[in-house]
Amino acid sequence: MKAVFNLGKWARLKGAFALVFVGSCLCYAFELPFWCYFISPVLLAFFIFQYMSSDHNKAIKAYATGDWKTFLEVCERTIAKTPQDANAHANAAFALANLHRFEEALQSVEKARSLGGDEKQCHLFSAMANCGMHKYEETISDCTKAIELNQEEPSPYLIRSIALTQTYKYEQALQDVDQVEKLNSNLTIAKTYRAYVYHAMYRLDEAQKEYEPIFGTLSHAELPFGLIVRSYVQARLGKVDAAIEDMKRAVETMPKKHEGYLDLAYFHVLKGDATNANRYLELVEPGDSFVESYRNSHQARILLMSKDESKAQDNTNLAVEHAKRAADLRPHSADARAVYGIALSRLGQHADGLIKLKSAIDIDPYCAEAFWWRGEVHEKLGELEKAEADKKVAKDFGYLPYL
């Protein structure tokens, strides 16, 4: 403690010398009267203090540290003083998007746009909000417009790569990441986005090769996405405990945690741990169709993994209800259709189950779960060649059955 205290005194002493030196230089340069040499350090200290405590400086610090609450507070004070400041409304939208207050972010974007704000920024911040709300077609449209206005900015390419991945347009998503690296080869976070696309395509070894060399270099702001991507890859590799730990770390940083809880519920399903899977589902607050669809899919999975023979029929019937609701909420989701197909086949409705599983594969040719379970259904129907072909595809992807 004593050494730290002495270092603090020495730092303050150096600061005082610096003020005297700079003040004296300014007085000399401007040929000010002699008495100015005595008060210049005080005036300099005053102006430095004013700057350090100014909203501008607070905003810079908040941006650098990812303190979006403080950043938003500064924007709101600016808006209160100058309500016609388009940049302040745009910056507020950026902060709101980072705080997962997406609908409010869109409102701020529209306000900035109505005041003549920078269209590139408006499209970018709108894309952030729409992506957070799982409106992926709108996200793609916003990013495309932002790119048309400025092809050198990497952010819209990266955001669009997420939306393209979520809509199963994997090759286009990879092209966007490639473009970012052409624009700036030093932007290593792009590798994490490529890993995200690779994980969705079950190119798991390649995903690891992307993020492993750069993971330790990710900034405070970049780390949460890196943890999420790594958790997804590890889960598919069967390293579920490691995936859970990564997701828990990521959840700690999330302003709203329900999507992290959904992932944690799924990871516990993969472990066969129904108790903890249900515990995390109970933490999920009611949300949009995306959240409710995943909640119902995971609930169906939990019911299907039950070993209680006395409740097998009831659990399967209930699983079908949950799976149907998940598919109804997100009709274009391969994942939801796959779970619905599994539940129907467990109920003995093999023909209907095959239809849902095929539709999942038609939507996403990398839906390994659908391939595996279509193979299971073919097997039950005695169609062994078809069963072997489907299961081979799933195994080649690296799929690990959990039911």
Side-chain angles (χ1 to χ4, degrees), residues 42-282:
V42 177
L43 290 173
L44 275 174
F46 172 76
F47 286 121
I48 290 170
F49 174 78
Q50 288 293 99
Y51 172 75
M52 294 299 288
S53 60
S54 69
D55 275 347
H56 178 73
N57 189 58
K58 286 178 182 176
I60 292 172
K61 284 185 177 179
Y63 179 85
T65 60
D67 182 0
W68 303 117
K69 184 178 178 182
T70 298
F71 190 86
L72 178 61
E73 288 171 355
V74 172
C75 293
E76 289 173 338
R77 284 198 293 272
T78 304
I79 290 168
K81 294 174 185 175
T82 53
Q84 302 304 306
D85 187 337
N87 287 334
H89 287 283
N91 287 333
F94 180 63
L96 287 162
N98 278 290
L99 289 167
H100 293 193
R101 293 163 58 179
F102 302 118
E103 291 184 2
E104 294 172 79
L106 286 176
Q107 292 170 6
S108 290
V109 167
E110 289 309 310
K111 184 65 177 177
R113 184 173 277 130
S114 71
L115 294 169
D118 186 324
E119 278 297 316
K120 297 188 296 297
Q121 277 194 332
C122 288
H123 285 307
L124 178 60
F125 297 158
S126 179
M128 289 175 63
N130 278 318
C131 193
M133 296 168 70
H134 316 292
K135 296 180 178 180
Y136 296 118
E137 294 301 335
E138 290 90 336
T139 302
I140 292 168
S141 175
D142 279 326
C143 289
T144 302
K145 290 173 183 174
I147 290 167
E148 288 171 353
L149 292 168
N150 181 5
Q151 296 183 6
E152 304 302 313
E153 168 60 41
S155 298
Y157 291 102
L158 294 176
I159 295 171
R160 191 170 68 176
S161 77
I162 293 177
L164 289 167
T165 301
Q166 288 289 336
T167 51
Y168 315 110
K169 302 178 181 77
Y170 302 123
E171 295 302 330
Q172 292 178 48
L174 289 173
Q175 288 171 12
D176 271 354
V177 179
D178 290 342
Q179 182 61 29
V180 169
E181 291 195 328
K182 287 178 184 176
L183 292 171
N184 187 347
S185 60
N186 295 320
L187 196 64
T188 55
I189 186 62
K191 293 184 178 297
T192 311
Y193 283 80
R194 184 180 287 108
Y196 179 71
V197 186
Y198 280 161
H199 116 271
M201 301 172 76
Y202 271 88
R203 294 165 63 174
L204 304 177
D205 289 341
E206 291 171 88
Q208 282 187 300
K209 288 176 183 176
E210 287 294 321
Y211 67 68
E212 281 182 345
I214 57 94
F215 198 86
T217 69
L218 296 178
S219 69
H220 176 79
E222 295 166 344
L223 183 59
F225 183 64
L227 288 167
I228 290 169
V229 172
R230 190 169 72 173
S231 75
Y232 290 166
V233 175
Q234 291 184 132
R236 288 193 164 178
L237 288 169
K239 301 174 183 178
V240 184
D241 287 331
I244 289 170
E245 290 307 309
D246 273 350
M247 186 57 68
K248 282 181 177 178
R249 286 178 61 194
V251 166
E252 289 175 2
T253 70
M254 295 178 183
K256 294 185 179 178
K257 306 179 186 302
H258 50 273
E259 290 183 31
Y261 291 148
L262 284 171
D263 287 329
L264 285 166
Y266 176 62
F267 293 162
H268 280 94
V269 167
L270 298 182
K271 281 189 70 175
D273 184 352
T275 300
N276 277 310
N278 273 316
R279 180 170 67 85
Y280 279 111
L281 282 187
E282 288 170 2

